[in-house]
Amino acid sequence: MGSLNWHFTVDQYRAVQHIPLNETGRHADRGGPGDMYSIGIEMGEVRSHNPIVTWNRSAKLTAVLMKQYHIPLRNVVPHYYWTGKNCPAPLLTNGRPGHKWSWFISRVDYYRRCLETRPAAAL
């Protein structure tokens, strides 16, 4: 059985952690700085699931991790940032960050701001 080399998988129902955050994943750029210094979050793309719910759950997880590890919003980047890969494809525009990625980042920022006034469990 192969191992999962990213930190979290998120779908519309849950977020599951696969490896500890202090463990280097193999999720971004084949052992480069993306793997060494980032947290890998995979968003499940299941046809029967509502992608907006998955993206919102991913944004919430991202906001919680940002708060816990003091990660600035500018450091929240798509896989595209590390490799030029069209990933996450549903949130990129013509294979690059655009208005859909901006929408996702605005959701992350919204949940980050919510955490300033509410505990993470309330999200």
Side-chain angles (χ1 to χ4, degrees):
M1 182 165 121
S3 63
L4 298 176
N5 290 311
W6 55 91
H7 299 94
F8 295 92
T9 298
V10 180
D11 68 14
Q12 75 176 18
Y13 300 110
R14 65 192 161 273
V16 177
Q17 186 170 357
H18 303 291
I19 61 174
L21 292 176
N22 64 353
E23 187 174 313
T24 299
R26 300 285 286 176
H27 54 82
D29 58 356
R30 300 176 188 230
D35 287 341
M36 300 287 291
Y37 304 110
S38 69
I39 298 170
I41 301 173
E42 294 287 331
M43 291 183 257
E45 296 178 37
V46 179
R47 287 181 192 220
S48 63
H49 290 189
N50 182 334
I52 303 295
V53 176
T54 298
W55 300 338
N56 267 307
R57 185 175 302 283
S58 298
K60 288 177 184 180
L61 172 62
T62 301
V64 168
L65 293 168
M66 287 172 62
K67 180 175 181 165
Q68 185 175 354
Y69 293 97
H70 309 286
I71 300 167
L73 187 62
R74 72 179 175 275
N75 287 7
V76 177
V77 298
H79 190 180
Y80 172 87
Y81 177 84
W82 301 107
T83 64
K85 180 180 177 185
N86 183 20
C87 184
L91 288 176
L92 299 183
T93 304
N94 298 319
R96 302 187 61 164
H99 70 280
K100 292 183 279 185
W101 182 255
S102 294
W103 172 86
F104 176 74
I105 289 298
S106 74
R107 298 305 300 162
V108 172
D109 192 44
Y110 167 77
Y111 292 121
R112 181 196 58 79
R113 287 182 282 116
C114 286
L115 287 170
E116 292 174 358
T117 58
R118 289 185 265 173
L123 291 176

